[in-house]
Amino acid sequence: MTDAQETAADLRTTTGGGPPDDVEKAPIPLLEPREGIPPVVADEDALARVVAAFAAGTGPVAVDAERASGYRYGQRAYLVQLRREGAGSALIDPVGCPDLSALGEALTSAEWILHAATQDLPCLREIGMVPTSLFDTELAGRLAGFPRVGLGAMVESVLGYALEKGHSAVDWSTRPLPEPWLRYAALDVELLVDLRDALEKELDRQGKLEWARQEFDAIAAAPPAPPRKDPWRRTSGMHKVRRRRQMAVVRELWESRDRIAQRRDVSPGKVLGDAAIVEAALALPTNVHALSALPGYGQRMGRRQLDQWMAAVDRAKALPESELPQPGATPAGPPPPRSWADKDPAAAARLSAARAAVSALAEQLNLPQENLITPDTVRRLCWEPPQRREQDAVAQALADYGARPWQIEQVTAVLVTALAANA
């Protein structure tokens, strides 16, 4: 790290994100690629050269991925960016190189540096890239108490450089990718190693480095998320749909839309909006004319499209009662906290005391409450506390809910007090 970068890091650690108000801020230099923009790797020969170069590199490897959320079906990666000492930077096109397992295997012993790792790991896993150890710079920033943890904000406050902005939400499935987009993508990994090193030093200074390591290990070891059950129930506006027949319309329209979106490889929202699905479910239109009068089915929609949506509505209306969807199953765990005062006043009092205690402790430790201990864990503990509300019993309950050792060590005492005060 340069002297200027070390100075920026020192300022951040003493002021929580920047220089004091009475210190005049120096102009922030715009980050430039050190070796220019690398060519996009889109064939097996070029990929083999990248694999060899990164296998021969040293130290951790910076990794990022770009998706086409809102444009394409699913969450696949459309560009993968890497950087490693001795190998430089690489931009890989997963459309031309859909199997990156050889690259993943070449980097299996390296620490991977990602920013907001849980966002990128699913699409990286799909193309054969799975880390065995990682460092998440966004999560590190949260644990270190940064008020803003976006990559641009972190690079600016810690390293003293400004990242180019404006291309994060573009359609990364575009081919060929424009040069400004590639420049933006290359810069996303340009300083990740420097940022990781600075954050490790800061976490160590605060006595939180072991906490971060436990969090990173938990992310790396987590299995893929299972498929959602009845994903149609997550349609925006679903709370308005009360009757089972209407629920069936939502299900039929959602599933028809999903099949079309998958076949056309476009975002489902571009095929039919959630609001339009709910409108049809509430109205239960009797024909295409009635459907076309609803919001979301207007003049721009052709007759063929209207017919396919009307067919989905008709299928739902024709279902026998026995095949209609049931109301959503009661989720596992405690009920919504807003109902606790009526259902179990003592539990409501425990939750209030526990929330206050966790909030105060999080402020004292200078990190977000949800990173200190998840709200769901606190709710479950307060709804069904262990029979013995003592340190070892509460600690075991927290462990059973998936809390990491550092979290258990920090919160057990205050939660024991909260549970005992409202027993």
Side-chain angles (χ1 to χ4, degrees):
M1 192 188 307
T2 67
D3 291 341
Q5 292 163 352
E6 289 185 353
T7 299
D10 290 341
L11 283 170
R12 199 225 60 78
T13 59
T14 56
T15 65
D21 292 338
D22 58 349
V23 174
E24 185 177 349
K25 295 181 181 179
I28 300 173
L30 188 66
L31 184 62
E32 298 286 346
R34 279 174 269 193
E35 299 104 15
I37 302 172
V40 177
V41 173
D43 62 71
E44 293 304 318
D45 290 341
L47 178 60
R49 291 192 292 271
V50 167
V51 171
F54 275 79
T58 59
V61 56
V63 183
D64 191 24
E66 305 294 349
R67 300 176 297 280
S69 303
Y71 297 94
R72 295 290 181 175
Y73 185 86
Q75 293 295 315
R76 67 170 293 184
Y78 281 95
L79 188 70
V80 175
Q81 309 100 281
L82 305 100
R83 185 173 180 85
R84 192 180 194 190
E85 184 69 29
S89 295
L91 301 177
I92 303 176
D93 179 5
V95 177
C97 302
D99 182 5
L100 300 186
S101 56
L103 179 59
E105 291 169 6
L107 299 173
T108 189
S109 62
E111 176 189 79
W112 294 23
I113 309 170
L114 302 102
H115 192 81
T118 54
Q119 295 182 21
D120 287 341
L121 288 178
C123 70
L124 290 170
R125 182 179 285 111
E126 286 182 359
I127 53 179
M129 296 187 65
V130 183
T132 55
S133 67
L134 62 85
F135 190 106
D136 186 334
T137 49
E138 192 239 21
L139 181 51
R142 291 181 181 277
L143 294 175
F146 280 75
R148 296 162 57 225
V149 294
L151 181 58
M154 296 280 286
V155 168
E156 183 174 321
S157 61
V158 176
L159 301 179
Y161 284 107
L163 287 179
E164 290 188 9
K165 301 176 182 178
H167 301 303
S168 60
V170 299
D171 181 3
W172 288 96
S173 68
T174 301
R175 292 296 183 274
L177 287 165
E179 188 271 345
W181 299 11
L182 295 175
R183 177 188 180 87
Y184 166 91
L187 289 174
D188 270 358
V189 293
E190 185 81 13
L191 289 180
L192 268 184
V193 175
D194 301 77
L195 182 60
R196 173 238 181 271
D197 292 344
L199 289 172
E200 181 179 61
K201 185 183 298 184
E202 173 63 9
L203 288 167
D204 190 39
R205 188 190 71 82
Q206 294 187 24
K208 299 175 180 177
L209 184 56
E210 176 56 28
W211 304 0
R213 286 172 174 156
Q214 291 181 26
E215 293 298 306
F216 302 156
D217 288 347
I219 294 173
R228 293 188 184 277
K229 183 181 180 182
D230 293 341
W232 59 270
R233 293 184 185 272
R234 296 176 62 84
T235 302
S236 180
M238 188 69 189
H239 63 281
K240 302 175 186 177
V241 181
R242 305 289 187 184
R243 292 156 46 196
R244 292 174 61 203
R245 185 71 60 184
Q246 294 173 328
M247 292 180 188
V249 172
V250 172
R251 182 176 65 186
E252 288 292 335
L253 284 171
W254 190 98
E255 291 178 348
S256 295
R257 178 185 72 173
D258 195 64
R259 287 192 296 269
I260 294 168
Q262 188 171 13
R263 185 178 71 247
R264 291 169 49 190
D265 190 20
V266 296
S267 170
K270 289 186 175 296
V271 175
L272 187 68
D274 279 10
I277 290 177
V278 171
E279 288 286 347
L282 296 176
L284 294 175
T286 56
N287 53 46
V288 169
H289 179 73
L291 179 66
S292 66
L294 298 176
Y297 301 89
Q299 296 179 345
R300 295 184 179 181
M301 187 170 288
R303 179 58 188 250
R304 182 178 177 182
Q305 291 175 295
L306 286 170
D307 285 343
Q308 68 186 4
W309 302 133
M310 192 66 228
V313 173
D314 288 341
R315 286 195 299 272
K317 292 167 68 174
L319 287 173
E321 288 287 326
S322 60
E323 295 182 20
L324 294 178
Q326 297 294 330
T330 303
R338 62 180 178 272
S339 67
W340 286 27
D342 294 330
K343 293 178 180 290
D344 190 338
R350 289 193 295 268
L351 181 61
S352 178
R355 283 174 164 174
V358 169
S359 177
L361 180 57
E363 184 174 353
Q364 177 185 336
L365 295 172
N366 191 29
L367 50 74
Q369 296 181 46
E370 63 271 19
N371 292 113
L372 176 58
I373 191 72
T374 67
D376 181 67
T377 296
V378 174
R379 286 193 295 269
R380 289 173 182 269
L381 182 72
C382 292
W383 184 251
E384 291 184 318
Q387 289 186 341
R388 291 188 308 106
R389 298 175 193 182
E390 299 170 0
Q391 291 263 0
D392 60 338
V394 171
Q396 184 58 55
L398 292 172
D400 292 343
Y401 290 135
R404 262 71 71 191
W406 77 268
Q407 295 175 313
I408 296 170
E409 181 181 356
Q410 294 299 318
V411 303
T412 297
V414 298
L415 290 177
V416 167
T417 301
L419 294 176
N422 297 276

